Amino acid sequence: MSRIIFISLLLTSLAGGSAQAGDRVWRPEPGTKSVKQDAISIQRQLDQELRAKFDAVASSNHLLTAQAAGNAGWGFIAEHFAQIDKDRDGYITFDDVQTFLDARSPLPAARARAAKKVQVVE
């Protein structure tokens, strides 16, 4: 459940109203047009958000440790750090995180990008 929906439901219940799971809790401003997003624009937005979060928590040399990931609230990354850190040097790059997440993404663009990065060593 998104934070906006949760907060809206909480405030409604505190105000004495009733709210149901299907209730509309957000209404766009009158006269605004909704913008349809395709898979590519969604993937681009997710990539930008991931990059911003990574840059905020990574060290000045753009490397992230398991401890820094945990301290920043990136529990999923901290828990899977050993899988992400393929070269076992104790640091991961943005590309390492992106490749790991792309391989698990439901979006076709991300999976295709992850497949291009897979290196087969014989």
Side-chain angles (χ1 to χ4, degrees):
M1 180 182 300
S2 76
R3 287 184 182 171
I4 294 171
I5 293 172
F6 178 76
I7 291 170
S8 297
L9 290 172
L10 179 64
L11 292 175
T12 302
S13 66
L14 290 175
S18 64
Q20 303 281 327
D23 288 353
R24 185 181 180 108
V25 294
W26 176 80
R27 290 180 177 43
E29 293 292 323
T32 59
K33 292 184 178 181
S34 63
V35 178
K36 281 195 167 193
Q37 292 187 314
D38 59 0
I40 294 170
S41 65
I42 292 170
Q43 186 62 55
R44 191 175 300 124
Q45 181 180 358
L46 291 172
D47 291 343
Q48 290 170 350
E49 291 175 12
L50 180 63
R51 170 60 84 175
K53 187 161 186 174
F54 183 88
D55 289 345
V57 299
S59 63
S60 60
N61 57 359
H62 305 289
L63 298 174
L64 183 66
T65 64
Q67 183 176 358
N71 292 345
W74 268 17
F76 183 79
I77 300 299
E79 290 171 11
H80 294 88
F81 195 86
Q83 292 172 301
I84 301 169
D85 185 17
K86 300 271 188 208
D87 56 2
R88 307 284 184 248
D89 61 359
Y91 298 95
I92 56 176
T93 64
F94 174 76
D95 193 47
D96 295 334
V97 173
Q98 187 177 46
T99 301
F100 180 77
L101 294 176
D102 282 351
R104 287 148 186 78
S105 175
L107 296 173
R111 285 194 311 251
R113 184 173 53 200
K116 286 181 185 176
K117 292 180 182 178
V118 172
Q119 184 180 26
V120 177
V121 179
E122 295 184 32

